[in-house]
Amino acid sequence: MSEQQTEKSPARNVVIVGAGMAGVQSAVALREAGFAGPVTLIGAEPHQPYDRPPLSKAVLLGKAEDSAFDVDFEALDITLRLGLDVTALRAADHLLDTADGPVPYDALIIATGAEPVALPGSEGVPGVHLLCTLDDAARLRPVLERQHDVVVVGAGWIGAEFATAARAAGCAVTVVEAAARPLAGTLPAEVTAPMTAWYAESGAELLTGARVDRVEEGAVVLADGRALPAGAVVVGIGARPATGWLAGSGVALGPDGSVTADSALRTSLPDVYAVGDCASFPSARYGARLLVHHWDNALQGPRTAAASITAAGTGAPLPVHDPVPYFWSEQFGRFVQYAGHHADADTLLWRGDGADPAWSVCWLREGALVAVLAVGRPRDLAQGRRLIESGAALDPEKAADPAVPLKSAAL
């Protein structure tokens, strides 16, 4: 915390850059915390602020036109400036540079989220899509309606969700993954093994160990020479913090490009905070700095940032942001949930058989539950999340019995 700066006086004018979940919730949290000063929310997109998870589900399939947040910005006296790019931060002057001129702030919340990683060489090729914004979903909806042959590059969470939607729409789907298995950078091989079968069950073809050489109009050419017909190509190979605009600002960034916030979500600069997908934070719970690209973190972090801003200069204790990470995914007819962080776990326990419709996996570290993955077992997730929060040790034999409620395995 020594590298982080403390604020000299209570903020009078708060500006938030980024109008996604983290930005919107930061504005709302400030009002809920009793902050009465001006709050301005700046968004690069022209659309009314919206939620992103439905983009790969209801919005993509035409079951919803949009996913605008149910927030009355006018009633909360929150000023929206939409369709406005912020190009630079001049911290010494407490100014943001924008296309409409400089914007002053007393306190700044960086909530610019993450941006999808493009497939090298695919930029500008007709028929290549990313799925990150409402406009992306709008461009992809006709692809599904026309039942094009679709090639999905990347068998991660977003790739699986898009493949699910494309199969539901009647498209022929091929998923190309450079690694030897889906979710290779996220979960252990034994956990992803049953997930591999989900693709074939849905009618999608999964090609693993398949590296893309190039994308042409109408085809994806693999490194081994195979050419896959593609009426559309959807790229889902990861995301990185959208922090390029902070170059030269003095805001400290980590090797992953994230803003390195402290436990109160303060950055290395005075009066500047960071929340959501663009910010990493130190977790005492896990003894590591975490960068969490998921909805729940974008919901919880703003409460910490708002509390930090309202506490600045008052002598009140600062809040601590150290949640149990949580996310969910709907894919191939299954509801997949995960809570925790399993990187330093020493024991993996199965609750059920991966070949069954519902099962869970628990990770322990020195006997304590640190993470749980639940497929069709929401009760395991809910109970597991509470056990992780409490630091409870488990009886391994009971925890491995799917007939025993997970909470009953606590010692």
Side-chain angles (χ1 to χ4, degrees):
M1 300 244 323
S2 60
E3 67 181 33
Q4 310 299 139
Q5 301 295 315
T6 57
E7 292 68 36
K8 299 180 179 63
S9 62
R12 299 174 301 281
N13 162 39
V14 179
V15 176
I16 302 162
V17 182
M21 167 63 83
V24 168
Q25 289 301 320
S26 293
V28 172
L30 281 165
R31 292 300 187 225
E32 290 178 341
F35 179 78
V39 174
T40 301
L41 182 63
I42 301 177
E45 294 183 58
H47 309 290
Q48 191 75 3
Y50 62 88
D51 203 6
R52 293 186 188 275
L55 295 183
S56 60
K57 306 171 184 73
V59 174
L60 187 60
L61 289 170
K63 296 176 181 177
E65 284 303 311
D66 59 37
S67 54
F69 290 113
D70 185 17
V71 174
D72 191 334
F73 295 100
E74 186 175 355
L76 291 172
D77 195 21
I78 295 166
T79 300
L80 293 181
R81 298 190 65 180
L82 304 177
L84 181 62
D85 279 318
V86 177
T87 56
L89 164 61
R90 288 186 278 152
D93 301 319
H94 276 54
L95 288 175
L96 295 166
D97 287 333
T98 78
D100 288 352
V103 176
Y105 68 85
D106 293 314
L108 171 67
I109 300 178
I110 300 169
T112 43
E115 55 196 4
V117 176
L119 184 67
S122 69
E123 296 90 340
V125 178
V128 176
H129 301 264
L130 299 169
L131 181 51
C132 180
T133 68
L134 189 60
D135 289 339
D136 292 338
R139 284 188 287 267
L140 275 165
R141 195 184 295 177
V143 170
L144 301 192
E145 291 171 350
R146 294 169 192 157
Q147 298 186 334
H148 285 295
D149 289 350
V150 177
V151 174
V152 180
V153 182
W157 299 112
I158 193 67
E161 290 186 359
F162 180 80
T164 299
R167 285 300 300 140
C171 297
V173 178
T174 302
V175 181
V176 176
E177 171 55 54
R181 54 191 176 82
L183 296 166
T186 305
L187 294 170
E190 67 179 284
V191 177
T192 61
M195 297 176 169
T196 302
W198 298 353
Y199 289 81
E201 289 173 13
S202 77
E205 182 178 9
L206 173 64
L207 302 179
T208 55
R211 192 168 295 279
V212 174
D213 178 68
R214 65 187 185 277
V215 178
E216 303 171 347
E217 187 172 1
V220 173
V221 181
L222 303 182
D224 62 9
R226 282 180 290 175
L228 308 175
V233 179
V234 177
V235 178
I237 56 174
R240 58 182 165 230
T243 55
W245 66 282
L246 293 169
S249 68
V251 171
L253 303 179
D256 53 12
S258 68
V259 177
T260 53
D262 69 4
S263 59
L265 298 184
R266 300 174 299 174
T267 74
S268 58
L269 294 179
D271 308 315
V272 181
Y273 305 77
V275 295
D277 291 5
C278 68
S280 60
F281 59 91
S283 170
R285 187 191 313 277
Y286 291 107
R289 175 166 287 275
L290 301 184
L291 175 61
V292 181
H293 281 180
H294 295 298
W295 186 92
D296 189 67
N297 183 55
L299 177 67
Q300 296 197 51
R303 298 168 186 158
T304 303
S308 293
I309 288 172
T310 55
T314 68
L318 288 172
V320 174
H321 182 68
D322 194 5
V324 174
Y326 167 73
F327 73 90
W328 77 96
S329 175
E330 295 176 85
Q331 54 184 265
F332 308 119
R334 293 166 173 86
F335 187 46
V336 183
Q337 296 171 281
Y338 176 94
H341 179 68
H342 66 268
D344 58 352
D346 52 44
T347 303
L348 188 152
L349 299 175
W350 282 83
R351 286 173 58 81
D353 189 325
D356 293 338
W359 48 273
S360 297
V361 172
C362 296
W363 286 269
L364 309 183
R365 182 185 64 209
E366 298 177 357
L369 185 67
V370 292
V372 58
L373 174 79
V375 177
R377 290 180 66 99
R379 190 168 297 173
D380 279 2
L381 189 288
Q383 294 179 9
R385 192 176 184 181
R386 288 193 289 270
L387 290 169
I388 296 168
E389 288 172 345
S390 68
L394 301 188
D395 178 323
E397 188 173 338
K398 289 182 178 178
D401 185 347
V404 175
L406 195 53
K407 64 182 180 182
S408 298
L411 294 172

